[in-house]
């Protein structure tokens, strides 16, 4: 079942310099999945996520969440439908004058619940995010990761079907990022809540997402299972996110063909690279490597420059083939 259906969504911000932030975007997010939306700054990610709960009204197109067509609802019914959609942000958006517990209570009180009733209902959610011993702390007394945990508890307390996360870990250090992502994954598994993760960081998508869509210049340019999109990027936009441009500093330094090698966990990476050198008697230049070693097997990618001499390159590729390693030619022009 689809939890979020977006059909031909266009959003233009009017004005003298009108900006079309989303142009004919269609997307389906299944119930219970963790879906990533990745793109560079300005690509339209925040606009897209704000259209998912109609914080931003689309110029045209349809948004359906949990069976309700939000784009067809008037304000009152929209407010109701929105209760099934939680949202967390990069900046946490906590109320500074309220304790952790009372921040979690806030949406319940807005809904008309008394403070004491709200507190009773909110406590288990603070516990769920691991903050049971900080309920009386004010936001200024909490770390970034703890603040995001409070924001997550505040979102969960109204029992949403979906949590939209707009760069929710972008202000956090890598270790805290990992722990917040792990928490989102745990909540997804425990509560069955659908999670939409908006990010500019590939590592975030890799860590928790089932599927991913790549957004560039107001369009969805690729989408699919995370491994498929990351191992076989089809567009320049995808390659740019997966192998950052900064990895190659001077185009003039590239003489031979570039190949992207994907390690899928069936081999270790070092013997492969040395094997290529031995097979051809020529050096390879590693431009970029993002591989993880799991039980002695490599997962990830490398971008290699092979010799200009075609015969030597063919020897290397033959060796890769014999080792059943996946490789793809990459156009050097992209790295201008
Ligand atoms: N309220 C707005 N008014 C005018 N332009 C906007 C507004 N919000 C976003 N934009 C423009 O829409 C484009 C996409 O922005 P945004 O969705 O914030 O991108 P991202 O989150 O991927 O960085 C940008 O060009 C941005 O300047
Ligand atoms: Mg944004």
């Amino acid at each position: 079942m689809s939890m979020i259906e977006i059909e031909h969504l266009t959003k233009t911000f009017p004005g003298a310099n009108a900006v079309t932030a989303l142009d004919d975007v269609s997307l389906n997010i299944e119930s219970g999945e963790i879906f990533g939306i990745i793109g560079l700054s300005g690509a339209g990610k925040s606009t897209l996520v704000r259209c998912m709960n109609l914080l931003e009204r689309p110029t045209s197109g349809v948004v359906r969440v949990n069976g309700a067509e939000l784009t067809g609802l008037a304000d009152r019914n929209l407010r109701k439908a929105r209760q099934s959609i939680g949202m967390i942000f990069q900046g946490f958006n906590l109320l500074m004058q309220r304790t952790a517990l009372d921040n979690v209570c806030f949406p319940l009180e807005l809904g008309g619940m008394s403070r004491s009733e709200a507190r009773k209902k909110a406590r288990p959610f603070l516990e769920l995010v691991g903050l049971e011993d900080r309920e009386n702390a004010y936001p200024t007394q909490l770390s970034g990761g703890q603040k995001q945990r409070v924001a997550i508890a505040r979102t969960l307390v109204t029992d949403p079907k979906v949590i939209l996360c707009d760069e929710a870990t972008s202000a956090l250090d890598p270790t805290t990022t990992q722990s917040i992502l792990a928490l989102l994954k745990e909540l997804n598994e425990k509560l069955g809540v659908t999670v939409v993760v908006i990010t500019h960081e590939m590592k975030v998508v890799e860590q928790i997402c089932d599927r991913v869509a790549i957004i560039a210049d107001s369009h969805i340019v690729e989408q699919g299972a995370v491994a498929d999109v990351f191992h076989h990027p089809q567009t320049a936009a995808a390659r740019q996110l997966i192998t950052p441009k900064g990895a190659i500093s001077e185009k003039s330094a590239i003489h031979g063909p570039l190949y992207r090698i994907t390690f899928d966990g069936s081999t270790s990476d070092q013997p492969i690279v040395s094997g290529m050198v031995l097979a051809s008697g020529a050096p390879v230049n590693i431009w970029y490597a993002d591989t993880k070693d799991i039980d002695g097997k490599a997962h990830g990618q490398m971008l290699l420059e092979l010799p200009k001499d075609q015969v030597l390159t063919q020897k290397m590729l033959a060796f890769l083939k014999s080792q059943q390693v996946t490789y793809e030619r990459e156009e050097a022009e992209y790295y201008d």
Side-chain angles (χ1 to χ4, degrees):
M1 192 195 103
S2 289
M3 179 56 72
I4 301 178
E5 292 170 284
I6 292 173
E7 291 171 10
H8 305 295
L9 178 71
T10 294
K11 175 68 190 183
T12 302
F13 292 105
N17 301 308
V19 177
T20 296
L22 298 170
D23 187 4
D24 196 19
V25 166
S26 295
L27 202 61
N28 253 339
I29 299 178
E30 300 300 318
S31 179
E33 76 175 327
I34 305 186
F35 194 95
I37 297 172
I38 185 169
L40 298 175
S41 175
K45 303 181 297 295
S46 291
T47 306
L48 177 56
V49 77
R50 288 165 62 80
C51 283
M52 285 182 185
N53 57 11
L54 249 65
L55 275 179
E56 206 73 78
R57 251 196 200 273
T59 308
S60 62
V62 173
V63 176
R64 258 183 239 104
V65 177
N66 196 26
E69 187 180 326
L70 302 190
T71 32
L73 296 178
D75 284 353
R76 213 181 112 218
N77 291 333
L78 181 60
R79 229 170 292 137
K80 198 146 170 265
R82 252 194 213 131
Q83 287 170 2
S84 63
I85 312 170
M87 194 162 181
I88 58 173
F89 309 86
Q90 177 170 359
F92 322 123
N93 296 21
L94 298 181
L95 296 166
M96 303 313 273
Q97 314 302 329
R98 282 182 167 236
T99 62
L101 183 62
D102 288 339
N103 264 285
V104 182
C105 290
F106 190 62
L108 299 174
E109 289 172 48
L110 275 187
M113 202 180 269
S114 71
R115 170 86 52 117
S116 65
E117 223 182 321
R119 289 187 147 200
K120 221 189 287 168
K121 175 144 194 222
R123 270 200 187 93
F125 288 94
L126 265 189
E127 205 169 302
L128 196 59
V129 300
L131 285 182
E132 59 276 16
D133 54 347
R134 300 309 308 272
E135 67 170 60
N136 293 320
Y138 286 88
T140 50
Q141 300 169 312
L142 298 172
S143 69
Q146 289 172 330
K147 280 187 256 198
Q148 196 57 292
R149 282 168 190 271
V150 173
I152 291 170
R154 179 183 57 185
T155 289
L156 290 174
V157 77
T158 51
D159 193 26
K161 297 277 182 287
V162 183
I163 305 182
L164 307 175
C165 313
D166 190 0
E167 303 277 8
T169 57
S170 300
L172 305 173
D173 63 72
T175 311
T176 312
T177 293
Q178 294 258 325
S179 76
I180 293 293
L181 294 177
L183 174 64
L184 288 170
K185 175 117 189 125
E186 183 191 327
L187 296 170
N188 163 262
E189 284 167 1
K190 255 194 205 161
L191 309 174
V193 62
T194 306
V195 179
V196 181
V197 174
I198 305 283
T199 181
H200 64 281
E201 289 175 299
M202 167 189 149
K203 284 201 162 20
V204 168
V205 171
E206 259 186 331
Q207 192 180 330
I208 61 164
C209 295
D210 305 310
R211 292 196 302 144
V212 62
I214 295 181
I215 183 168
D217 291 336
S218 323
H219 297 92
I220 303 282
V221 293
E222 281 185 47
Q223 59 176 308
V226 170
D228 287 347
V229 172
F230 283 0
H231 290 170
H232 308 287
Q234 305 294 317
T235 57
R239 281 191 283 273
Q240 188 169 358
L241 286 160
I242 294 164
T243 313
K245 258 189 177 171
I248 293 183
S249 42
E250 277 176 79
K251 188 200 169 202
S252 60
I254 301 177
H255 303 293
L258 290 175
Y259 279 83
R260 176 186 299 276
I261 316 265
T262 300
F263 295 96
D264 62 2
S266 52
T267 57
S268 169
D269 52 2
Q270 274 319 309
I272 293 296
V273 174
S274 12
M276 291 169 75
V277 174
L278 283 174
S280 62
V284 296
N285 191 3
I286 302 178
W287 278 108
Y288 174 81
D290 184 17
T291 57
K292 269 194 291 277
D293 188 296
I294 303 173
D295 294 336
K297 306 288 185 191
H299 295 257
Q301 312 209 356
M302 274 189 193
L303 192 62
L304 305 178
E305 178 190 345
L306 303 194
K308 210 173 168 197
D309 182 321
Q310 282 190 22
V311 176
L312 297 177
T313 289
Q314 286 314 318
K315 281 184 182 164
M316 290 187 179
L317 297 181
F319 172 76
L320 289 177
K321 221 173 239 168
S322 75
Q323 302 298 305
Q324 279 146 23
V325 173
T326 311
Y327 61 84
E328 271 173 302
R329 178 78 192 264
E330 184 107 353
E331 291 310 318
E333 289 71 49
Y334 158 68
Y335 295 96
D336 282 4

